[in-house]
Amino acid sequence: MGRPLRADAERSVRAILEAAERVLAEDAGASMEQIAEAAGLTRITVHRRFANRQALLEALAVSAKQHLLDAIGEARPDSAPALVALYRVTANVLRVKSTWRFTLSHATPHTSAAAALWKEIDAYTVELLTRARNEGLLASDADLDWTRQVYYALLSEAINRPGADQDPAAQDSDALATLVIDTLLHGAGPHD
């Protein structure tokens, strides 16, 4: 890995990544120049930090996954019962997913850094689901790989619900977390 960036360079990179997420969410074909303008920087500055569009997309993928990992850590999943931890993690992840909607919903080839972050995220998820199973929240014979896939799908569906962009209440991370966890643990059947 290269040497650490100076504070001003770090701010530029952060501004570029945040602008790229906003601009690309509105227009996936936006140019580097449009991203530079949205970041309040020159195109040359953007190209100094990211040689091309692919490098920018890869940096977005790493940044978004790092934010997901940070959100999981901030939930302190090891310090609470599995149900509370699952709820906290879900709410935090939904907040990140709503901020990084473009990047996390578009397939970008994984760099080794992004793949390593995703592997960590997956490990935390399986560990939390294992705790949920051990604490009786999931069936003792629950297939945790399948449960993980379903959980990820529920997270994506919660963020991308039709009409959610027009109803601010539908974007509430806490309410969405409750919906995701309730659906994961109980499905659509009656609650006993």
Side-chain angles (χ1 to χ4, degrees):
M1 180 151 272
R3 61 190 168 102
L5 295 175
R6 294 185 333 259
D8 60 331
E10 242 180 78
R11 279 191 300 276
S12 291
V13 168
R14 192 171 42 252
I16 293 164
L17 293 174
E18 289 170 0
E21 176 63 33
R22 283 191 318 273
V23 169
L24 293 171
E26 290 179 21
D27 176 9
S31 69
M32 295 286 273
E33 190 166 353
Q34 290 170 299
I35 292 167
E37 185 178 316
L41 301 167
T42 66
R43 187 176 52 80
I44 292 169
T45 301
V46 172
H47 279 288
R48 190 178 305 130
R49 301 289 172 232
F50 304 102
N52 54 42
R53 184 183 178 84
Q54 186 59 35
L56 176 60
L57 291 174
E58 290 171 359
L60 279 169
V62 168
S63 185
K65 286 172 179 60
Q66 184 61 58
H67 277 83
L68 283 173
L69 197 53
D70 292 347
I72 292 167
E74 287 168 12
R76 298 185 327 273
D78 297 332
S79 69
L83 182 60
V84 172
L86 192 55
Y87 173 81
R88 283 184 196 160
V89 166
T90 301
N92 284 3
V93 164
L94 287 167
R95 285 183 193 95
V96 171
K97 285 181 79 62
S98 68
T99 302
W100 293 90
R101 187 172 297 212
F102 169 82
T103 302
L104 292 172
S105 65
H106 286 77
T108 303
H110 280 275
T111 62
S112 59
L117 290 169
W118 188 251
K119 188 174 180 177
E120 252 186 282
I121 291 165
D122 258 353
Y124 275 117
T125 304
V126 170
E127 183 180 317
L128 186 52
L129 292 173
T130 300
R131 284 183 52 217
R133 183 175 62 187
N134 293 344
E135 291 180 25
L137 297 172
L138 297 171
S140 61
D141 62 347
D143 178 338
L144 294 184
D145 285 331
W146 174 248
T147 305
R148 176 183 45 82
Q149 287 179 292
V150 169
Y151 176 64
Y152 289 165
L154 288 170
L155 289 168
S156 291
E157 290 301 317
I159 287 295
N160 297 312
R161 289 175 39 198
D165 53 342
Q166 288 136 7
D167 179 8
Q171 294 298 327
D172 178 54
S173 298
D174 293 320
L176 289 174
T178 299
L179 180 63
V180 167
I181 299 306
D182 190 49
T183 305
L184 179 70
L185 298 179
H186 307 292
H191 299 122
D192 298 330

